[in-house]
Amino acid sequence: IQENIKSIDRAFAGIYIWNPDLSDYVVINEANYEFSPPGNESLLAQNNIALAQGQLDQAESLLKSSVATGQKTGDTLEIGKSTRSLGLIADTRQQHDKARALFQDSLIHLQAVDDTLGIAGAYSNLANLSRQAGDYETAQALYQQSIDGFEDVNFAWGIAFTLTNLALVQNNL
């Protein structure tokens, strides 16, 4: 768990409250972001719990099911969120090329539905990969795009976290 916790995106970590009226979890996190897209509530809630517990194989399976459901129902937001989480799992497993492809795919879907918080997170994920690869100029530009998005939704934690990463990049320029 200690190894996996470093890669968990805090925008996806939160409090999971069982709502008996919905027969599902409601998830509230630091961004005041509630998960439960219509028709796919249980998969997303179960995935977030599995990720938080470091159960990557289970989370990956749930996310693939979530992507398939999103494709079947035309839920672009679900596809974008789930693909981004698959990218986090790939990154945790040191599969950086796969993670980059998943984050880029996620970004396309999140932009299509104008999910500002998700877009900012995807830019931050891509920036992290660029920083790890030593491409500091690309990382700097991507972190700035991430900060701009987090500022748009007033997500203070995201701004602070990304500024910290940006400082690490600028130290290497």
Side-chain angles (χ1 to χ4, degrees), residues 79-152:
I79 296 167
K81 287 181 179 182
S82 299
T83 303
R84 181 168 171 237
S85 292
L86 284 167
L88 293 171
I89 292 171
D91 186 36
T92 299
R93 291 178 170 158
Q94 305 297 311
Q95 300 167 337
H96 301 300
D97 291 339
K98 180 178 180 180
R100 183 177 310 283
L102 288 163
F103 291 143
Q104 289 169 337
D105 186 46
S106 170
L107 188 57
I108 291 166
H109 287 89
L110 296 170
Q111 288 171 329
V113 294
D114 200 28
D115 178 13
T116 305
L117 182 62
I119 293 166
Y123 278 131
S124 181
N125 299 135
L126 287 165
N128 289 339
L129 290 174
S130 295
R131 179 174 52 90
Q132 292 167 7
D135 184 356
Y136 300 118
E137 289 182 13
T138 299
Q140 182 178 21
L142 290 167
Y143 280 135
Q144 189 56 58
Q145 286 180 285
S146 178
I147 290 167
D148 293 345
F150 287 139
E151 286 176 344
D152 286 347

Side-chain angles (χ1 to χ4, degrees), residues 61-77:
S61 175
L62 291 165
L63 286 164
K64 287 179 179 179
S65 295
S66 185
V67 168
T69 300
Q71 290 170 336
K72 183 177 180 180
T73 62
D75 188 342
T76 303
L77 180 60

